[in-house]
Amino acid sequence: MNILITGVAGFIGFHLASELLKKRYNIIGLDNLNDYYSPKYKNQRLNLLRRKKKFKFLKIDLKKKKDLDLVFKKFKPKVIFHLASQPGIMYSFKNPKTYVTNNIDVTKNLIEQSLKNKIEKFYFTSSSSVYGNKKKFPITEKSSLEPINTYAKTKQQCEKILLKKFKNSGVDLKIFRPFTVYGPYARPDMIFITYLKKVMSDEIFFLYNYGNYIRDFTYVEDLAKILSKFLRVKKLKNKIFNICSSKPIKVKKLINIINKKITYKPNIVLKPYRNGEMKKTYGDNKLLKKTINFNKFTTIENGIKKTLNWYKKFNNKKILYFNKVKYK
Ligand SMILES: NC(=O)c1ccc[n+]([C@@H]2O[C@H](COP(=O)([O-])OP(=O)(O)OC[C@H]3O[C@@H](n4cnc5c(N)ncnc54)[C@H](O)[C@@H]3O)[C@@H](O)[C@H]2O)c1
């Protein structure tokens, strides 16, 4: 059985493909290797996947319907993990159009192919950001959606379209809402790599909301295992799942834990809250745990340790860039 992963050269796509290859699935990975952040870094992840016989990579832009058509005809996938996306919160205010194209339009193209080719399972990674700023915690899958940035709005729109188009189609649709994902091979626009790079080069790091943002950090290898476990779950009434450890911490605490494990002296400047960023994320993961029987979430201490070990060994740090000039 061929499993298609879109966004396979991305942070989560790479970990998911690694996990599924361990389980001996055939993986067809698609990605356009865009330059939102370093394509060389994306290629480095791909090189690790390419060592496996059961992995095939195709450089495809999901906007191109004809290319997508050929992929479906040739490989006849039965399962799609749709992870390709334009991520990033602050950039979504600068260039909203790319979010509409690479999140909404691309998802529509995949739905069209999936219906035409009678796909069995369509698994979509939405985001915890669809919830917006909440007062009641933990946030359950039934909490209302009040997205406060363009990225989250396009994710909400994708969810609506998927639920509508796959209704009564026989396709097993699942929508996942991961909460801030971190770990080895992380995205260079997210807190871990931005912080470590600044600290190690003695540059100022801006800590927004005075470090008081609260995040329900989720370790990436847990997420990959969770997604993989869903392959064995039958079609269910519940289609939407939070993916989080349900152990939120303040970002300043995260920084303190990191600082205790490194020898560099940080240069942190506290900054106020930024519009568009969620003040607190704290998800309820009961439904998830009940559905797939997953209880062993990596603790934040352990996850940080593993991420730092990876970062120290990663010897090509200059490719860990995020296209700031264009995107910040
Ligand atoms: N990282 C997180 O904390 C987090 C949290 C919640 C949800 N998510 C979601 O999980 C998914 C994966 O996120 P990630 O952190 O791995 O992001 P990522 O940017 O590392 O990966 C996304 C990949 O999609 C590819 N892509 C984008 N547009 C494409 C197109 N038109 N055609 C083909 N490929 C395209 C990019 O080149 C990239 O490699 C995304 O849908 C994201 O919104 C991520």
Side-chain angles (χ1 to χ4, degrees), residues 211 249-258 300-301 304:
I249 65 161
K250 279 197 176 160
V251 171
K252 64 183 172 195
K253 180 158 180 218
L254 173 93
I255 299 278
N256 279 338
I257 304 176
I258 296 177
I300 190 76
E301 299 273 351
I304 291 174

Side-chain angles (χ1 to χ4, degrees), residues 11-12 31 37 42 62 83 102 126 151 155 181 187:
F11 170 40
I12 299 171
D31 204 296
Y37 66 81
K42 294 180 182 178
L62 302 170
L83 275 65
N102 291 296
S126 180
Y151 164 69
K155 285 287 183 185
V181 187
R187 275 193 358 235

Side-chain angles (χ1 to χ4, degrees), residues 31-32 59-65 67-68 102 106:
D31 204 296
N32 67 353
K59 186 169 184 257
I60 294 273
D61 192 322
L62 302 170
K63 296 192 272 295
K64 296 191 177 150
K65 287 189 178 194
D67 291 356
L68 211 48
N102 291 296
V106 147

